[in-house]
Amino acid sequence: MVVFRALGWLFLALAVAVVVHDLLTWWSQGRYPFSTFGSLWAHLDPASLGNTQTSVRRHLSGVLWTWMMRPLLTVPAVPAFLVLGLVQLWIGRRDLGRPDAGVLMGSRPRRRRGGLL
């Protein structure tokens, strides 16, 4: 469950990073670009995007690129990262119907911390 929560927070951080990137682009160029997965990939490493397209078309199928990868690359990044992050956090939530510690595993004595309580 920790992995799902970590992935959820990572996706939410990516959404924030994309919003910051879009706002900085809007501030410098005067237009607000809605970043897609394809535009982010092309911004980070354009050569690998072209190599991936060539490899998928050559070794797998041109139909796979046209009907699966191209629509996936046109998805807006911020809503997708937000949805992915919230779903991962929901999957990795802590209260998944676990029984109380005293029922099956026995009760553990609680440690007292220093102070008044």
Side-chain angles (χ1 to χ4, degrees):
M1 294 304 149
V2 173
V3 173
F4 290 116
R5 286 194 303 263
L7 282 174
W9 287 113
L10 178 68
F11 282 131
L12 291 178
L14 285 172
V16 170
V18 172
V19 167
V20 169
H21 174 266
D22 287 350
L23 288 174
L24 288 175
T25 303
W26 173 59
W27 184 58
S28 66
Q29 295 180 359
R31 62 176 182 86
Y32 187 81
F34 289 103
S35 294
T36 62
F37 286 134
S39 67
L40 290 175
W41 192 355
H43 183 72
L44 291 174
D45 190 10
S48 71
L49 178 60
N51 291 339
T52 302
Q53 180 181 2
T54 304
S55 297
V56 167
R57 285 186 173 193
R58 181 178 299 149
H59 298 293
L60 296 175
S61 173
V63 174
L64 178 69
W65 181 264
T66 304
W67 292 101
M68 281 188 70
M69 291 300 292
R70 190 183 298 166
L72 184 66
L73 292 175
T74 61
V75 171
V78 174
F81 283 143
L82 282 175
V83 168
L84 286 172
L86 292 174
V87 166
Q88 292 294 324
L89 287 174
W90 180 72
I91 290 172
R93 68 186 189 275
R94 293 177 191 228
D95 59 344
L96 293 175
R98 294 182 184 145
D100 292 335
V103 175
L104 295 176
M105 296 174 266
S107 62
R108 297 184 300 180
R110 293 187 179 208
R111 288 179 148 175
R112 290 196 122 194
R113 295 184 183 180
L116 296 175
L117 299 175

